[in-house]
Amino acid sequence: MAPPSLTSRAAALLTAERGRFADRNPKSRALAESAGRHFPGGVPLHWMKDWGTPFPLAVAEASGAEVLDADGHRLADFCLGDTGAMFGHAPAPVVEAIRAAAGHGLTAMMPSTGTAAVGDLLAEVFALPFWQVTQTASDANRAVIRWARAITGRPRILVFEGCYHGQVDDAFVARGPDGRTVVRPGLLGQVADVAATTVCCPFNDLPAVEAALAAGDVALVLTEPALTNTAMVLPAPGFLDGLAAACRRAGTLLCLDETHTISTARGGYARAHGLKPDFLVVGKPVAGGLPAAVFGFTADVEAAMRRADAERPAGYSGIGTTLSGNMLQLAAMRATLEDVMTPEAYGHMLALSDRLAAELSAAITRHGLPWSVTRLGARAEIVHSPTPLTDGAHAAATIDHDLEAAIHIALLNREVIVTPFHNMTLVSPATTAAHVGRLAEAFDDTLTALLR
């Protein structure tokens, strides 16, 4: 949390920048009012109101690493659809693949002729032999949880405080003041007590995990390799290896949700660090921004899945949706894996992200602020702590939503987009040194305005 003097300055900056935003974007305001006749708040998804702006910014076009808004401003985009467009907006190979495939059908609830090729690519890139396709990472995580319970016969899962795994009921838990698992505050319409079947532990706390697994009733540990949906928390040295070993000893399956940590390297964090999870989930960017996700699994898991499927009564399994694995998804996924998610693309992204993190850190140092920058591959985040974050509770203690909102809208007014959630940045293959320079200059100018 920011000290009182910085908090008051953030409030003043937020007020000023909101006024400036309203003056700069009259067409977006008009579009929001028009859309508001049928879409609450003028948005087709209520999350789109979470940017901290007086009204939503309307996008006219998104291409490469830039967004053109309704009022004609061309913004350098470091949010990239919160990773959905991690490889840039509308990558040419994906656009061409969609254009070619669309004329031959979109969905048929049958495998397409390209299914085998996509399977080969997924196995090669992510080093797991078996895969299934879903619409979203939420769907993939739900499927993994259900399969893990079916395979092990155990009812509980384990997640970490501060996690986010999409629209998955089981993961919406937190740690109460006494350390017990509780349902996360703020949920709408929650009926089931998911704290009865989910245990929440602090990230990087291996003894807490081992104690939770000792009861022998945990089917699955579901985690990101690094927490990225709170202020970013990196794994402590040896934590993930220790976690995998603890799962093996306890007979618990391990799933790594790489929807965001795919920014680490080609093949994700697990491949880059030699981790061997039982399941792996990759979401938003795997089809170049087209709605799609995948979950992979080992040969042992696949054999256990077949046994569980053979033993159950006939009827719906509760896993899957009609549009999952459709022809258009597979065409876009193949183009992404073959021609977009390349070693060369990652080489560009990682080098430029390193430069960006250095520029942001230098600005923080120049202005004498007790902040730092945490980086994970192509992802970098401004953290309101002088030291690396250790777990979800530490991350939550550093978050000042008004300060984040003030910085975010100030950058928008300087024609730079970062995520509205804890000011994370992402570098794509289409991002240039000029884009990085624009963000660095805008951030420095924003800090000057904040401290003025």
Side-chain angles (χ1 to χ4, degrees), residues 299-325:
D300 286 344
V301 168
E302 191 273 339
M305 290 164 74
R306 279 190 284 109
R307 288 194 296 272
D309 197 39
E311 292 168 0
R312 71 182 179 91
Y316 183 52
S317 67
I319 300 172
T321 59
T322 308
L323 292 175
S324 296

Side-chain angles (χ1 to χ4, degrees), residues 387-422:
T387 58
L389 304 175
T390 55
D391 57 29
H394 187 190
T398 69
I399 294 172
D400 184 312
H401 295 293
D402 288 343
L403 180 58
E404 288 182 351
I407 292 172
H408 182 264
I409 194 169
L411 292 176
L412 272 180
N413 286 334
R414 289 156 179 79
E415 301 189 355
V416 175
I417 307 172
V418 298
T419 62
F421 320 112
H422 42 86

Side-chain angles (χ1 to χ4, degrees), residues 168-193:
V168 178
D169 284 1
D170 305 77
F172 286 121
V173 292
R175 283 167 56 80
D178 59 358
R180 289 189 304 166
T181 300
V182 298
V183 176
R184 190 176 294 185
L187 289 182
L188 289 171
Q190 185 66 34
V191 177
D193 180 9

Side-chain angles (χ1 to χ4, degrees), residues 81-330:
D82 193 27
T83 309
M86 190 179 87
F87 299 108
H89 295 288
V94 177
V95 172
E96 289 305 313
I98 291 172
R99 183 177 289 119
H104 299 284
L106 305 180
T107 186
M109 209 180 73
M110 291 184 286
S112 69
T113 55
T115 300
V118 173
D120 289 342
L121 286 163
L122 288 167
E124 187 274 320
V125 172
F126 296 105
L128 278 170
F130 292 101
W131 293 87
Q132 289 282 272
V133 178
T134 65
Q135 287 289 96
T136 66
S138 295
D139 294 337
N141 284 321
R142 275 192 292 263
V144 167
I145 291 169
R146 194 173 284 270
W147 276 119
R149 286 173 169 155
I151 289 167
T152 64
R154 298 175 176 184
R156 304 178 82 197
I157 70 164
L158 185 151
V159 298
F160 291 103
E161 186 173 18
C163 74
Y164 179 72
H165 296 289
Q167 196 174 333
V168 178
D169 284 1
D170 305 77
F172 286 121
V173 292
R175 283 167 56 80
D178 59 358
R180 289 189 304 166
T181 300
V182 298
V183 176
R184 190 176 294 185
L187 289 182
L188 289 171
Q190 185 66 34
V191 177
D193 180 9
V194 292
T197 52
T198 303
V199 59
C200 185
C201 289
F203 194 70
N204 283 324
D205 189 340
L206 196 54
V209 173
E210 291 171 335
L213 297 184
D217 60 353
V218 177
L220 179 77
V221 171
L222 173 62
T223 184
E224 296 181 278
L227 298 184
T228 66
N229 282 281
T230 182
M232 195 188 298
V233 182
L234 300 181
F239 172 68
L240 293 176
D241 288 329
L243 175 64
C247 287
R248 285 193 296 272
R249 289 193 300 271
T252 297
L253 298 170
L254 174 63
C255 178
L256 295 182
D257 181 353
E258 294 246 31
T259 297
H260 280 179
T261 58
I262 186 66
S263 65
T264 307
R266 187 173 185 266
Y269 191 102
R271 183 75 184 267
H273 292 269
L275 302 176
K276 306 288 186 184
D278 299 291
F279 292 97
L280 184 81
V281 168
V282 184
K284 293 176 271 194
V286 75
L290 196 74
V294 293
F295 64 98
F297 39 97
T298 65
D300 286 344
V301 168
E302 191 273 339
M305 290 164 74
R306 279 190 284 109
R307 288 194 296 272
D309 197 39
E311 292 168 0
R312 71 182 179 91
Y316 183 52
S317 67
I319 300 172
T321 59
T322 308
L323 292 175
S324 296
N326 67 65
M327 299 143 70
L328 196 63
Q329 280 179 326
L330 290 175

Side-chain angles (χ1 to χ4, degrees), residues 78 349-365 372-382 425 427 436 439-440 443:
F78 290 87
M349 293 158 66
L350 299 185
L352 210 51
S353 181
D354 184 57
R355 176 174 171 178
L356 172 59
E359 294 269 13
L360 296 177
S361 296
I364 289 168
T365 299
S372 56
V373 175
T374 301
R375 178 172 168 254
L376 185 65
R379 185 180 305 275
E381 185 175 316
I382 302 157
T425 68
V427 168
V436 168
L439 172 52
F443 183 58

